[in-house]
Amino acid sequence: QVQLEESGGGLVQPGGSLRLSCAPSRTIFSVYTMGWFRQAPGKQRELVAAITKAGSTNYADSVKGRFTISRDNAKNTVALQMDSLKPEDTAVYYCHADSGRDAFHVNRYWGRGTQVTVSS
């Protein structure tokens, strides 16, 4: 389900910074977790960071200390501040949002992705 839109990707030199943003393109109800996956060419999609409605965060070990995830619950938006970028961070970054009434009725919504390229 594509109901999110990412922005902020681009080309940056190693050591530089980018800030990704994600907002619903259509209304999503009862969102409790939002986050970011990424997928490099020929690689499996991996979770980069996630944040719950209460503000609990989870980061991949490879980005911990360099990336910061945040959200605005009122607007159902999520952002990813990426600092000290490395060439291995190059990937398409996908926003996701999880909603539902219980563990058996979870819906995951996706954006179409934004390209991040780290190169000198």
Side-chain angles (χ1 to χ4, degrees):
Q1 295 177 274
V2 181
Q3 294 189 191
L4 301 167
E5 184 173 351
E6 304 95 341
S7 62
L11 175 65
V12 65
Q13 294 184 9
S17 297
L18 284 173
R19 184 176 179 86
L20 305 182
S21 298
C22 173
S25 56
R26 288 172 283 174
T27 300
I28 301 175
F29 298 98
S30 302
V31 176
Y32 50 82
T33 303
M34 303 186 75
W36 297 87
F37 282 76
R38 68 184 181 187
Q39 188 167 25
K43 302 292 185 180
Q44 186 177 356
R45 186 176 296 191
E46 63 176 352
L47 180 67
V48 178
I51 183 168
T52 69
K53 187 176 181 179
S56 297
T57 58
N58 183 49
Y59 296 93
D61 288 341
S62 60
V63 308
K64 195 171 298 183
R66 300 188 297 119
F67 291 10
T68 303
I69 189 170
S70 60
R71 67 184 289 173
D72 185 330
N73 290 337
K75 297 187 290 186
N76 280 336
T77 58
V78 63
L80 185 68
Q81 178 67 42
M82 305 184 294
D83 298 320
S84 302
L85 283 162
K86 304 175 181 179
E88 50 263 46
D89 295 318
T90 296
V92 177
Y93 284 70
Y94 298 90
C95 176
H96 76 268
D98 293 340
S99 68
R101 65 189 188 214
D102 56 47
F104 295 101
H105 299 84
V106 176
N107 301 116
R108 174 159 286 180
Y109 300 90
W110 295 94
R112 292 194 178 277
T114 185
Q115 177 70 48
V116 171
T117 302
V118 185
S119 177
S120 59

